[in-house]
Amino acid sequence: RTGRPRRADADAAILEATRDALVELGWSKLTMGDVATRAKVAKTTLYRRWTNKSELVVDAVALLFDELTLPDRGSLAADVESVVLQFAALLERPETKTALMAVVAESTHDAALRTRIRSSIVDRQKRLVLEGRTRAQARGELPTESDPATAARTSDLIFDVIAGAVVHRALVSSEPIDEAWARDFTQLILVGLTAVAPA
């Protein structure tokens, strides 16, 4: 055995303490020591799990993204609108907004951090696209692609379009994402630019 086994309750306390510290202190003032104090664990406990605060913050925010679900609303359009509104609500939470913007900024000069963001957040959330596409194909709303490589590229593109638009509107433009916006955005995705009639 190399060290003590990980405890789920300790991990949960650490990740919650990390999010609280981010909201209160911001990225620049947050330290591993502060998180350890808030979580009531030894600093060595943190370093056995995470080598630095970038990894810790990514995992803390990834846990929030794992809360996203895709309940069956009966149609592809309703499913897309639902996940867009869920995603927007998640980005409105101070701990998500602070953490996400901080790690993205840090990742511009840290390749390892970019890789961790991709594996811990982006790749894990692509499950929603795969689930939604499978459901829509079963309903006959979308065609089934026989080539796995083509299907994977399509799923990646869908994810990039939806996630990119929501993140940009919520965190860059700071514009509201309400039911009307989600409906218009979904219509644009489903029918395309040339089929959108002027209001």
Side-chain angles (χ1 to χ4, degrees), residues 119-178:
S119 62
S120 297
I121 299 176
V122 176
D123 289 346
R124 269 161 48 179
Q125 296 315 311
K126 286 181 181 179
R127 63 184 169 81
L128 298 172
V129 173
L130 297 175
E131 183 180 346
R133 289 189 73 205
T134 300
R135 185 184 297 161
Q137 288 166 346
R139 295 192 194 109
E141 295 174 294
L142 289 177
T144 300
E145 293 169 317
S146 57
D147 178 27
T150 301
R153 285 195 301 272
T154 301
S155 293
D156 285 350
L157 182 58
I158 293 169
F159 180 88
D160 289 345
V161 169
I162 295 176
V166 174
V167 168
H168 185 276
R169 186 168 177 85
L171 301 185
V172 180
S173 299
S174 296
E175 294 288 343
I177 296 179
D178 53 20

Side-chain angles (χ1 to χ4, degrees), residues 12-40 46 53 56-57 60-61 64 94-100 102:
I14 291 167
L15 295 176
E16 182 177 359
T18 302
R19 293 189 293 269
D20 291 344
L22 269 171
V23 173
E24 183 178 332
L25 303 174
W27 172 270
S28 62
K29 293 182 180 179
L30 182 143
T31 66
M32 298 286 271
D34 182 74
V35 171
T37 299
R38 289 168 183 262
K40 296 181 173 60
L46 264 68
K53 79 172 184 179
L56 176 59
V57 171
V61 74
L64 297 177
E95 62 270 33
T96 311
K97 185 181 300 185
T98 303
L100 188 61

Side-chain angles (χ1 to χ4, degrees), residues 77-103:
D79 286 353
V80 173
E81 289 177 30
S82 172
V83 79
V84 164
L85 292 172
Q86 275 191 73
F87 189 22
L90 178 62
L91 293 178
E92 280 298 307
R93 291 165 60 172
E95 62 270 33
T96 311
K97 185 181 300 185
T98 303
L100 188 61
M101 294 187 78
V103 294

Side-chain angles (χ1 to χ4, degrees), residues 81 178-188:
E81 289 177 30
D178 53 20
E179 291 185 2
W181 187 89
R183 183 174 58 252
D184 292 345
F185 174 65
T186 299
Q187 183 74 0
L188 179 64

